[in-house]
Amino acid sequence: MTKTLERREKLRSDLIQAAERMIAERGLAGLKTRDLAREIGCANGAVYNLVADVDELVLRVGSRTLRRLDDALSTAETGEPSPRETLVRIAIAYCDFAAENLQLWRALFEHRMETDKALPDWSVDDQLQLFRHIYKPLAALLPKRGAEELGITARSLFSAVHGMVALGLEQRLVAVPLPALRKEIAGLVRAMIDGLITREQAASPD
Amino acid sequence: MTKTLERREKLRSDLIQAAERMIAERGLAGLKTRDLAREIGCANGAVYNLVADVDELVLRVGSRTLRRLDDALSTAETGEPSPRETLVRIAIAYCDFAAENLQLWRALFEHRMETDKALPDWSVDDQLQLFRHIYKPLAALLPKRGAEELGITARSLFSAVHGMVALGLEQRLVAVPLPALRKEIAGLVRAMIDGLITREQAASPD
DNA sequence: ATATTTATTGAACTATGTTCAAGTTCTCGC
DNA sequence: GCGAGAACTTGAACATAGTTCAATAAATAT
């Protein structure tokens, strides 16, 4: 009885790993059900016994990528006493992760579900976890801010770094060499933090 | 003799406009050659007499979008004496443009050419123009920096704002209401600028 | 007016996600 | 054990798309 269940689970796991490998090697657009089926040794149609459609598959791969990214950021935030430098390290870690997992990281943002098909909950949850890395060090630096406001600022800071990484790693424009990009990010993160602190202490001079 | 040439040019122009409308309404993935052909009144295959392939079509639409974006940013930078507030206004203008032209703006970044097919020059040129809006006000604020360094910082600042807009307008995560997003962007841009100025005046305390 | 060049057509080709009727394998009551 | 019924797997077939190209039509030159 459990025999086919086990087999299914094994196959499903193989499928997701194969999809991950394929995206990493050929990009999101290079993911093909027939190639996947061949790799895991089943019929093309059998893929749809394991996942509902390719959207789900991409989301499952994304979930794994987000978990690894989360781990990378967790590592970056340990053992650094200064909250300011912790934030810098997290930003650099984000940049490094994106560079080392370029296609998988891009897939997180490139993928679009067909209109109005909602994301499953388990996928949404993953994503919201990312901001939490920034929250604690930021709270230490901006003691006057409330939880709500801090959450928003954390999100903004994350987004700003994301933008620098996204455009910095884009091949189309002048590609920035990675060391230069890391330096730029560190500089702008420090500037943002300093600016936020200054503006918190002063009465927000617009 | 010029008869068919004229007709072709007219058709090509119609095609690009139809593609623009289609992307704006249905997103980049909703662009279909057969629908385009029907709209401009020619055979499906005739599309390939007007452009080499859909890649070129998307790029041509992108070129128009970039031009309109450029205009919007130009408008934002006029008539504001303070360079700092000029930068804030440019950032807000970028945000507003993205919100008002969401699908077309997204298409600029979502589109990926098939591997190793290079962008045509006319397309690359367009994109580099965007940073130039930021350059002048930034130069006024950071007089000690050289041209090279300023260019990099301008790019970083642009990228950071881009990231805030990109993630802020993303439906998947908690969508930020537009007014809140504008406020956030204004706040973080001011913080970045203040931080950059502070760090330029001090001896860059890392 | 006719021949030659050029442009346009739409059917056909390829690739790809998805479905489903038919075949196969497995399970469970006897 | 074994056979009926449930569950699973298959791969051919379908729908949709981008792209090509031989055949047709139009335009131009002689």
Side-chain angles (χ1 to χ4, degrees), chain B residues 1 31-34 44 48 53-54:
Chain B
M1 195 277 266
L31 191 70
K32 303 289 149 75
T33 58
R34 283 168 178 80
N44 174 28
Y48 295 85
D53 48 30
V54 277

Side-chain angles (χ1 to χ4, degrees), chain A residues 17 61 72 88 93 124 134 137 150 176 180 191:
Chain A
Q17 279 181 252
V61 171
V88 172
V124 177
I134 304 191
L150 268 173
V176 185

Side-chain angles (χ1 to χ4, degrees), chain B residues 28-166:
Chain B
L28 187 54
L31 191 70
K32 303 289 149 75
T33 58
R34 283 168 178 80
D35 292 346
L36 285 171
R38 193 162 348 99
E39 271 207 42
I40 67 175
C42 73
N44 174 28
V47 168
Y48 295 85
N49 299 332
L50 306 171
V51 289
D53 48 30
V54 277
D55 273 347
E56 183 188 331
L57 191 50
V58 172
L59 255 32
R60 296 224 177 262
V61 171
S63 188
R64 286 167 60 95
T65 306
L66 280 171
R67 200 143 353 199
R68 289 192 301 119
L69 172 54
D70 207 73
D71 289 348
L73 299 191
S74 294
T75 302
E77 70 189 333
T78 62
E80 166 61 58
S82 150
R84 183 162 164 277
E85 289 311 301
T86 301
L87 288 174
V88 172
R89 288 175 64 155
I90 292 172
I92 299 289
Y94 185 77
C95 175
D96 288 348
F97 181 90
E100 284 161 22
N101 302 271
L102 189 55
Q103 299 280 36
L104 288 168
W105 173 76
R106 276 186 184 159
L108 291 175
F109 301 97
E110 276 179 16
H111 180 62
R112 285 257 171 290
M113 314 271 293
E114 55 221 290
T115 315
D116 80 342
K117 195 166 140 197
L119 276 192
D121 287 347
W122 55 262
S123 179
V124 178
D125 289 346
D126 288 335
Q127 310 193 27
L128 299 177
Q129 297 299 315
L130 285 182
F131 304 133
R132 113 178 164 256
H133 293 280
I134 304 192
Y135 188 93
K136 218 190 300 174
L138 203 62
L141 291 167
L142 303 172
K144 286 187 193 163
R145 298 210 180 190
E148 173 80 5
E149 212 183 344
L150 269 172
I152 295 175
T153 305
R155 187 196 160 111
S156 298
L157 200 53
F158 179 93
S159 302
V161 172
H162 168 79
M164 281 188 277
V165 174

Side-chain angles (χ1 to χ4, degrees), chain A residues 117-133:
Chain A
K117 193 165 140 196
L119 277 193
D121 288 347
W122 56 262
S123 178
V124 177
D125 290 345
D126 287 337
Q127 309 193 28
L128 299 177
Q129 296 299 316
L130 283 183
F131 304 133
R132 110 177 169 258
H133 293 282

